[in-house]
Amino acid sequence: MLPLVALSVLVAVSPAIAVWPLPRQYSTGTTPLRLSPAFHIDLSGIHGAPQDLVAAVARTSNYLRNDKLQALVPDRGASSGNAIRGAKSLNSLTVSLTTSGKVRSISEEAVDDVESRVESYTLTVPADGSPASLKANSTLGLFRGLTTFGQLWYDLNGATYTLEAPFNIVDSPAYPYRGFMLDTARNYFPVADIKRTLDAMSWVKINTFHWHVVDSQSFPLVVPGYTELSQKGAYSAAQVYTPADVKDIVQYAAARGIDVMAEIDTPGHTSIIAKAHPEHIACFEASPWTQFANEPPAGQLRLASSATTNFTTGLLKAAASMFQSKLFSTGGDELNANCYAKDNATQADLAAQQKTLEQALDTFTQATHAGLREVGKRAVVWEEMVLDHQVTLANDTVALVWISSEHVASVAQKGYKLVHAASDYFYLDCGGGGWVGQNVLGNSWCDPFKTWQKSYSFNPTANLTAEQSKLVLGGQHLLWTEQSGPANLDPIVWPRAASSAEVFWSGPGGDVGKALPRLHDVAFRFQQRGVRAIPLQPLWCALRAGKCDLNA
């Protein structure tokens, strides 16, 4: 392991490495090196290599052949032609595990409890053409290393090369949770779009797909035993996620080192359930909606009803059982008290039980979370369940802090593990203008647009003590989709969401100016691989690092 002092010296000498996220410790050189036409990745030292590792090697080899990414310099690398033609050739990358015993697959390791995943690796690429080496004590770590190796190379007239050999990389994540959330309820996203997003996530080492799969507007998840919810609540019979789709997505994600954490938000954001079970929903589509919900349509679970509590517990258990992840989110945000105050059934239940609304919410939460524990899940909630309500939560409950980054310290003071998801840094939908009708001057509630620079500047432990900082699991970008669909999924997410991927892998404090050329590389490489990432600057600027800085 390289000492941290050495790290700072190495990084200062060689800032041009294009890897994203930046390795925790690395050094580079100035020697040209090219991949041999016969280059191969050697797994022979791993007895019984799992199929998903074999497939990951095949994908890496494919990217090396087909990325064809030219260097982001004015002549796109042409002036280095002679040096590249005269360079030594690298024939192989040897991949090996440093532990003995049973070899677990990437897919198995990806869904381990978030705090026990092992993603570290070491990567050495000599300058003299002798075999490169990738080592890790987990297949998940090997996968992360393969991802890094694939980012080291450029193309010039069919030659795959680097000008920075040798590489010595010792890498591991600063935080175990690095996520991206997608809302598939406001607008539907086909499975192919989700898979493409999972691919892109894996290329920047994001390891958790937070799937906000249902909400008040639609219920596209086909849950065994509760299929009436999707039959009556999906936008159409074609716009659903069947159990086979879920299995496909979960397996696809796991093979790419990604855990799928699903969410069914309760007791709010559940209006659509009334289409199949009106008995369980208060103030269904009540008007004016602004008095009953944060956005239309209004409708919340009748949390004081024992029948509704039992129904919800069963639904959550059935839905959670569709996913391999140890984490499952029950939401808990944006509860509207007026909805319950105006709901006769809820008021009757509260009176009969001699409970306040908060006491009923506590009973509801304890019951639903107990159900999740029965199927081996750890509950995840939005911050209100910790800060705004008097509910009993298990000590291992994870809180998503979304309303403001200023609330993080309050959650930490309560002693809960937390994930950064603050709207003031990580919401991708901000700045798109208001989406509700008859509101000419309306803006998005979380204006302004959240730039990649804003999220890249985030400090995960700001205002926290050393002990409280240990509660931070990581963080994520989020896309709420009132104004997003398949048509703009890639451009609104990429490459912005890569910025938090680096913050939570490499740690905070990165230099925006030095990061920008590497993030250009991310966007261009994504485009080569079929992801429609947007430009961050005019091409003239992207090819001339620093020339478009404010003080250039």
Side-chain angles (χ1 to χ4, degrees):
M1 182 68 73
L2 295 172
L4 291 179
V5 174
L7 169 63
S8 63
V9 174
L10 295 172
V11 172
V13 171
S14 54
I17 189 170
V19 174
W20 195 283
L22 195 68
R24 303 286 296 287
Q25 301 183 49
Y26 70 90
S27 67
T28 66
T30 56
T31 304
L33 181 69
R34 57 188 293 172
L35 291 188
S36 163
F39 173 81
H40 65 284
I41 300 174
D42 182 7
L43 278 175
S44 61
I46 302 178
H47 180 69
Q51 185 55 45
D52 54 12
L53 180 58
V54 174
V57 165
R59 288 197 304 275
T60 303
S61 299
N62 185 60
Y63 295 143
L64 291 169
R65 286 191 300 269
N66 298 317
D67 274 359
K68 306 294 184 187
L69 179 64
Q70 295 177 313
L72 297 184
V73 293
D75 69 358
R76 308 310 298 269
S79 58
S80 301
N82 288 336
I84 295 167
R85 281 188 290 273
K88 297 281 182 67
S89 291
L90 178 66
N91 288 308
S92 66
L93 168 66
T94 301
V95 177
S96 59
L97 281 169
T98 55
T99 54
S100 57
K102 182 180 182 295
V103 179
R104 301 175 70 213
S105 67
I106 298 168
S107 300
E108 288 175 300
E109 295 180 347
V111 299
D112 281 343
D113 184 77
V114 63
E115 291 151 283
S116 63
R117 293 175 202 158
V118 178
E119 300 178 87
S120 57
Y121 66 93
T122 60
L123 176 63
T124 303
V125 183
D128 62 1
S130 57
S133 171
L134 170 61
K135 296 180 179 180
N137 57 8
S138 68
T139 53
L140 186 57
L142 293 178
F143 179 70
R144 301 299 179 217
L146 287 169
T147 300
T148 297
F149 184 81
Q151 295 177 328
L152 299 176
W153 310 93
Y154 294 99
D155 178 85
L156 182 66
N157 300 324
T160 304
Y161 74 94
T162 178
L163 300 176
E164 298 181 298
F167 295 94
N168 290 284
I169 296 172
V170 180
D171 203 10
S172 61
Y175 292 95
Y177 183 111
R178 305 171 309 280
F180 169 68
M181 190 216 80
L182 180 65
D183 158 24
T184 60
R186 271 67 180 216
N187 283 304
Y188 177 83
F189 294 81
V191 170
D193 289 307
I194 294 175
K195 285 184 169 182
R196 188 177 65 257
T197 301
L198 292 166
D199 280 327
M201 290 165 61
S202 75
W203 299 334
V204 290
K205 301 183 175 69
I206 293 175
N207 70 354
T208 305
F209 177 48
H210 175 185
W211 190 0
H212 188 91
V213 60
V214 302
D215 209 291
S216 279
Q217 291 82 4
S218 77
F219 201 107
L221 183 65
V222 181
V223 182
Y226 297 82
T227 54
E228 69 278 7
L229 296 175
S230 55
Q231 288 169 353
K232 296 187 178 181
Y235 283 130
S236 74
Q239 293 174 299
V240 297
Y241 303 106
T242 66
D245 291 332
V246 170
K247 183 178 180 180
D248 186 23
I249 288 168
V250 167
Q251 290 180 344
Y252 192 90
R256 285 152 183 80
I258 298 169
D259 190 29
V260 180
M261 179 184 80
E263 177 182 351
I264 293 184
D265 206 349
T266 62
H269 292 269
T270 46
S271 174
I272 196 65
I273 288 175
K275 295 291 186 180
H277 291 283
E279 69 276 14
H280 294 314
I281 299 298
C283 56
F284 173 62
E285 296 189 358
S287 179
W289 62 264
T290 53
Q291 296 182 17
F292 298 95
N294 280 45
E295 67 178 54
Q300 302 180 146
L301 287 165
R302 285 186 166 126
L303 55 81
S305 161
S306 58
T308 300
T309 300
N310 292 337
F311 167 83
T312 306
T313 302
L315 169 63
L316 292 176
K317 288 172 65 175
S321 297
M322 300 172 71
F323 297 87
Q324 292 181 321
S325 177
K326 307 293 191 299
L327 301 173
F328 190 89
S329 176
T330 61
D333 62 317
E334 298 183 331
L335 216 62
N336 187 291
N338 185 56
C339 167
Y340 291 124
K342 299 288 179 62
D343 183 58
N344 292 335
T346 297
Q347 291 304 309
D349 284 332
L350 291 173
Q353 298 166 32
Q354 296 185 314
K355 286 182 178 178
T356 65
L357 183 63
E358 284 295 312
Q359 289 170 333
L361 177 62
D362 183 38
T363 299
F364 175 89
T365 302
Q366 289 197 57
T368 53
H369 285 195
L372 287 180
R373 284 194 296 275
E374 289 175 17
V375 293
K377 305 300 181 184
R378 177 181 182 182
V380 179
V381 296
W382 295 110
E383 65 175 75
E384 291 99 315
M385 296 299 281
V386 172
L387 298 180
D388 297 344
H389 299 295
Q390 288 80 56
V391 297
T392 305
L393 300 171
N395 292 335
D396 67 349
T397 303
V398 177
L400 298 161
V401 183
W402 71 275
I403 296 174
S404 171
S405 57
E406 294 181 359
H407 297 175
V408 170
S410 298
V411 172
Q413 286 167 10
K414 299 269 190 176
Y416 291 101
K417 294 290 178 71
L418 64 94
V419 168
H420 291 291
S423 62
D424 49 328
Y425 282 88
F426 301 119
Y427 270 33
L428 293 166
D429 55 310
C430 303
W435 59 270
V436 295
Q438 294 293 336
N439 190 25
V440 175
L441 300 179
N443 292 317
S444 64
W445 74 272
C446 55
D447 273 357
F449 182 91
K450 303 299 182 279
T451 66
W452 77 266
Q453 294 99 321
K454 174 74 171 177
S455 49
Y456 193 76
S457 72
F458 185 73
N459 180 358
T461 58
N463 303 315
L464 299 181
T465 67
E467 278 302 305
Q468 290 171 344
S469 296
K470 296 175 183 177
L471 298 172
V472 178
L473 293 176
Q476 64 184 24
H477 264 89
L478 308 90
L479 179 59
W480 302 103
T481 60
E482 288 88 350
Q483 294 180 298
S484 294
N488 72 336
L489 173 61
D490 291 6
I492 203 167
V493 176
W494 305 113
R496 271 196 295 164
S499 59
S500 65
E502 177 152 302
V503 169
F504 295 108
W505 178 281
S506 309
D511 184 298
V512 168
K514 292 178 180 178
L516 180 55
R518 292 187 298 108
L519 195 54
H520 281 309
D521 262 305
V522 171
F524 278 75
R525 197 176 293 278
F526 273 31
Q527 291 164 9
Q528 294 297 99
R529 296 181 183 181
V531 173
R532 298 181 298 278
I534 62 167
L536 296 173
Q537 289 182 314
L539 181 59
W540 190 93
C541 304
L543 299 181
R544 294 164 177 84
K547 292 295 185 182
C548 295
D549 288 356
L550 193 59
N551 58 355

